[in-house]
Amino acid sequence: MKIGIYGGTFDPIHRGHITAAQAAAQQLGLDLLLLIPASIPPHKALPEGGADAAQRLEMATLATAELSCPAQVLDVEVKRRGKSYTADTLRTLRRQYPEDELWLLMGTDMFLTIQTWHDPARIFELAGVAAFGRTEADTEELFAVQRDYLYRTYPNARIFTLTIPGVIDVSSTELRQ
């Protein structure tokens, strides 16, 4: 089974997230999509006055109705104390799905900085990485430089970059404002 793993703060989850997840699911041929709201994201502070973890889980659950692929929302990061490190989540999912093909889905901003994350080598050991452009400015040339660097640094990495037709350029920050 091919499983996509899409994590994020999702405060709130929006059509941009859903469009990206749907496009990735179709282009990768995913059998299941897992949405995983972060408890405490390591890359940014939670917004003041934002939704709490339970509300973000509920929003993600409601958003799965918009997807045409099978999808589930997991609370694995919300239940974990401390920061939500992707490497830890992938270890947990690998134990749960030992024979399945895991794909970590992410936008351009995260893809361009993945080498700075907590234990990036472990991330590339446990899952392929599928990156998608979040705006029209996210071009293949931008992806190619990072992809080449990652292949040199992590030779066993599996990387897939994709373009999302009809990309919706919106951010959760803009929606909260």
Side-chain angles (χ1 to χ4, degrees):
M1 184 162 58
K2 275 180 133 176
I3 301 172
I5 302 154
Y6 191 15
T9 308
F10 299 137
D11 186 20
I13 195 166
H14 53 69
R15 290 233 179 263
H17 293 124
I18 297 304
T19 300
Q22 187 67 48
Q26 289 172 344
Q27 291 188 39
L28 286 167
L30 298 179
D31 299 299
L32 177 63
L33 176 65
L34 302 176
L35 294 174
I36 305 177
S39 177
I40 302 172
H43 305 291
K44 60 184 174 183
L46 287 170
E48 197 171 307
D52 65 26
Q55 292 168 324
R56 293 184 290 112
L57 278 168
E58 180 63 21
M59 286 187 283
T61 300
L62 292 170
T64 62
E66 299 289 320
L67 294 165
S68 63
C69 62
Q72 296 174 6
V73 176
L74 299 184
D75 63 359
V76 63
E77 289 193 0
V78 169
K79 286 182 174 179
R80 186 182 303 132
R81 295 186 191 269
K83 292 185 177 181
S84 298
Y85 291 116
T86 300
D88 296 338
T89 300
L90 288 174
R91 278 187 199 96
T92 299
L93 293 174
R94 177 52 65 209
R95 283 191 298 272
Q96 187 174 349
Y97 301 100
E99 301 300 319
D100 296 304
E101 185 178 335
L102 303 181
W103 283 93
L104 180 63
L105 312 181
M106 65 183 63
T108 305
D109 53 343
M110 295 292 103
F111 180 63
L112 295 178
T113 61
I114 192 169
Q115 69 274 11
T116 68
W117 291 17
H118 174 76
D119 206 356
R122 188 62 144 160
I123 292 170
F124 286 110
E125 288 173 20
L126 295 169
V129 171
F132 44 80
R134 291 179 51 173
T135 70
E136 295 293 337
D138 295 338
T139 63
E140 175 53 28
E141 293 81 21
L142 184 64
F143 284 141
V145 171
Q146 176 69 344
R147 192 174 47 241
D148 292 345
Y149 167 78
L150 293 172
Y151 280 140
R152 285 191 314 274
T153 308
Y154 310 100
N156 295 322
R158 291 178 297 133
I159 300 170
F160 181 77
T161 53
L162 63 139
T163 302
I164 302 171
V167 68
I168 298 173
D169 187 9
V170 63
S171 75
S172 294
T173 302
E174 291 171 329
L175 291 174
R176 282 192 309 276
Q177 290 171 352

